[in-house]
Amino acid sequence: MQIGVDTARAVETKRAFILDVDDIAATALQFMLADELEVHVFTSSAAALAHVAARGVDVVLLGAGLIEAETPAVVPKLREAWPDAPLLAYGPAGDAAVLAALSGGARSAIARPFQVETVRRKVNAQIGRRAVLDVAVVRR
């Protein structure tokens, strides 16, 4: 199902990795991004690093649960492995793991609960896609 998808973006070959131990959050993000990106979900940084050896990655979304499970040191490790890929941390607003990721090198954060428009806007901004402006027209 495609929700508000720009067809030009749907045919690009941009790749997103979602790393999280929380299957529900990872699946929700995968659903929100799968129409415009090739999305891969991993439950550990080691699995993601092994998979990317043959392919590049355009953006990495890192869940607070994985940051807590693997310690905040996972952020510099991922930044070193993928220096050109923007890293976005996500979790509840004000979460200590998300704040640690931001101080460790993540470019931005996405707060839960997720909204499709917000998630896509943040991801698109990080991968260099132009923002689509919607201007409401009010007739009187």
Side-chain angles (χ1 to χ4, degrees), residues 1 22 73 79 108 135:
M1 178 171 76
D22 180 358
R79 295 291 315 135
S108 186
V135 177

Side-chain angles (χ1 to χ4, degrees), residues 38-49:
E38 178 184 326
V39 181
H40 300 272
V41 178
F42 300 96
T43 57
S44 73
S45 61
L49 290 167

Side-chain angles (χ1 to χ4, degrees), residues 71-118:
T71 75
V74 72
V75 176
K77 179 173 87 171
L78 295 174
R79 295 291 315 135
E80 183 180 321
W82 304 314
D84 297 330
L87 183 67
L88 284 84
Y90 66 87
D95 187 86
V98 173
L99 296 175
L102 288 170
S103 66
R107 287 192 190 171
S108 186
I110 301 172
R112 289 179 68 176
F114 301 127
Q115 293 180 335
V116 175
E117 300 84 8
T118 304

